[in-house]
Amino acid sequence: MKAIKGKRFRRGIHIADKKQYAADAYIEVAPVPQILSISMSQHIGKPCQILVQVGDEVKQGQLIGKADGFVSANVYSGVSGKVIGIEKRANPRGMVSDYVVIENDGQYDSVCLEPLADREPNTIKERIREAGIVGMGGAGFPTAVKLSPSTPVDTLVINGAECEPYLTCDYRLMIEKTDEVVSGIRLLAKALGVDNIIVGIEANKPKAIELFEKYDDLTIVTLKKAYPMGSEKHLIYCCTGREVPVGKLPADAGCVVQNIATAYAVYEAVELNKPLYERVLTVSGECVKEPKNLLVKFGTSFQYLLDYCKYDNTNLAALIAGGPMMGSTMISSDYYTRKTDSGILALDDTQADFIAPSPCISCGRCASVCPMHLLPMSIDFYTQAGDYQSAAKYGGVLNCIECGCCAYVCPARRSLLQSITLCKSQLRKK
Ligand code: SF4
Ligand code: SF4
């Protein structure tokens, strides 16, 4: 079906997409290190219950962490080998959880999930839950939970925007695994019980748009290149014209949003009986000599992947897990891949700097770009004063989607995002 033009949301920013580094790099199967450290908390919700002990032998595709409750997700081993440790480690956001350390025996002795008896909605949903699939765009919300909205929905919106600079892993899946991704999208729609499927793709991916136009049951919406187009609320507005009310969820506008990589994982779980233990991610940035899109096992060391892509830290200014706008700046590369990692970036000093913040000059730029129409300078002001309630009342911090547009344009280099996350965590504690 010929693509239609999407709407444009107000505000946001235009940034260089830097996708040229890895956009033409075919998905490559990354080598697997000898030791993997697999997090038991790769999702939003309760960490898994560890099912293995030090000394146990495991297989590729074996369940090693069992979901602990409704909002949780199973974790599987991506290699066969021996469990040599269970350790506490921090993820790039600084959250500490248990990691199962496995010595890879290089045999890839595998087990699969049982083949499904049918493709009924509840069977698909149960398979998605069993396979440990979560939102792979970065949020990590368990997909099976998202497919059980409390209000009726009529539309599945697929996020093919990939609006974060540098990242090209979803784009490569769209053009190299088109049929598989579309199969996953149809399974998601069936699980949800909807016929209306919209795929939103940014205009800077004409090849992906052309390939997706072949499928008559999908409505393809060409989106203007703007950041943060991939935010659920903005994507829904641009694809359907519906507005998600403040403080409400996409389901309140009749929609559920899923990501391209998630759809691909659903295809693999349902059609290939493969649980989620690996994903495609982008390794890129000015300090990476050979930017790549790699299929990596969860638990692979970031440093191992950076070295594989010929990382040179001579002019390094920032190491980032995820995209440069919403990802986490890391103090080292001593972290391990998880379900939500769409990229590892090494930016040089032309792209990132750490100039100390100066006082706010009340220029209003932060508010003028905020796609949620908030007052970031007020959030910062009240948060710095320890008055978190006023930050919520006058700044609207609880509606912030943490897109980073405000911090990006601030001439005083105020640490607006840090204030926002601090304020939210303090309010949550209360
Ligand atoms: S206040 Fe929040 S939503 Fe608004 S620009 Fe800043 S990070 Fe984005
Ligand atoms: S952009 Fe920065 S300097 Fe300008 S009002 Fe906002 S916080 Fe203050």
Side-chain angles (χ1 to χ4, degrees), residues 13-50:
I13 54 176
H14 295 278
I15 35 180
D17 67 20
K18 303 277 178 187
K19 292 186 189 281
Q20 69 274 18
Y21 296 134
D24 294 330
Y26 280 86
I27 296 170
E28 196 181 310
V29 179
V32 186
Q34 210 186 344
I35 305 290
L36 284 94
S37 289
I38 305 173
S39 170
M40 294 292 108
S41 184
Q42 304 189 39
H43 50 268
I44 285 180
K46 245 180 138 184
C48 292
Q49 293 170 0
I50 303 173

Side-chain angles (χ1 to χ4, degrees), residues 359-367 377 380 406 409-412 414 416:
C360 171
I361 56 169
S362 301
C363 65
R365 276 204 218 173
C366 53
M377 70 294 246
D380 185 40
C406 51
V409 298
C410 175
R414 302 290 308 156
L416 298 172

Side-chain angles (χ1 to χ4, degrees), residues 61-288:
Q62 181 178 328
L63 184 67
I64 56 171
K66 189 174 182 309
D68 188 9
F70 185 57
V71 185
S72 188
N74 288 338
V75 171
Y76 293 81
S77 173
V79 294
S80 56
K82 191 176 194 174
V83 177
I84 57 167
I86 292 170
E87 299 172 357
K88 295 258 183 232
R89 286 181 175 276
N91 69 20
R93 287 194 181 267
M95 291 164 73
V96 175
S97 65
D98 288 318
Y99 282 66
V100 172
V101 185
I102 298 175
E103 188 174 33
N104 177 13
D105 64 11
Q107 300 301 309
Y108 303 100
D109 197 5
S110 299
V111 284
C112 288
L113 303 173
E114 288 292 317
L116 293 179
D118 58 56
R119 299 286 187 273
E120 293 305 312
N122 280 338
T123 315
I124 299 169
K125 242 187 269 184
E126 181 52 26
R127 170 50 53 96
I128 290 170
R129 190 200 60 73
E130 183 188 13
I133 297 173
V134 303
M136 292 166 75
F141 198 75
T143 302
V145 179
K146 229 174 157 185
L147 293 174
S148 311
S150 51
T151 45
V153 298
D154 60 12
T155 302
L156 171 65
V157 178
I158 298 295
N159 183 357
E162 201 170 46
C163 62
E164 279 268 15
Y166 295 92
L167 302 185
T168 52
C169 48
D170 281 357
Y171 170 66
R172 291 309 310 185
L173 280 175
M174 282 192 274
I175 64 170
E176 288 186 51
K177 306 279 182 191
T178 318
D179 286 341
E180 293 88 341
V181 169
V182 170
S183 167
I185 290 172
R186 288 176 178 147
L187 289 163
L188 282 163
K190 188 149 190 204
L192 208 51
V194 303
D195 293 324
N196 191 24
I197 307 172
I198 301 177
V199 185
I201 307 176
E202 270 196 356
N204 61 350
K205 303 174 189 68
K207 197 166 169 188
I209 293 169
E210 190 189 322
L211 288 169
F212 273 73
E213 280 177 337
K214 286 188 315 197
Y215 302 92
D216 285 340
D217 55 334
L218 309 181
T219 302
I220 310 304
V221 176
T222 306
L223 305 165
K224 273 201 168 171
K225 198 179 97 50
Y227 182 84
M229 185 58 85
S231 137
E232 287 196 339
K233 292 185 177 183
H234 299 92
L235 185 70
I236 288 170
Y237 174 72
C238 293
C239 287
T240 68
R242 300 179 194 176
E243 294 194 31
V244 180
V246 171
K248 299 281 182 185
L249 295 169
D252 294 298
C255 298
V256 164
V257 179
Q258 296 288 350
N259 152 277
I260 293 289
T262 311
Y264 185 65
V266 168
Y267 157 79
E268 290 195 315
V270 174
E271 303 299 350
L272 309 181
N273 306 311
K274 182 181 160 192
L276 184 61
Y277 54 71
E278 60 187 1
R279 69 161 295 157
V280 179
L281 60 72
T282 305
V283 182
S284 186
E286 293 73 24
C287 297
V288 174

Side-chain angles (χ1 to χ4, degrees), residues 329-350:
T329 305
M330 302 181 283
I331 49 170
S332 79
S333 52
D334 187 22
Y335 297 102
Y336 298 86
T337 52
R338 297 161 304 149
K339 297 173 185 179
T340 48
D341 290 321
S342 47
I344 304 170
L345 306 180
L347 309 190
D348 73 3
D349 46 19
T350 65

Side-chain angles (χ1 to χ4, degrees), residues 370-372 374 376 400-406 417 420:
C370 176
M372 295 302 290
L374 310 179
C400 171
I401 56 170
E402 297 176 30
C403 65
C405 291
C406 51
L417 260 183
I420 286 162

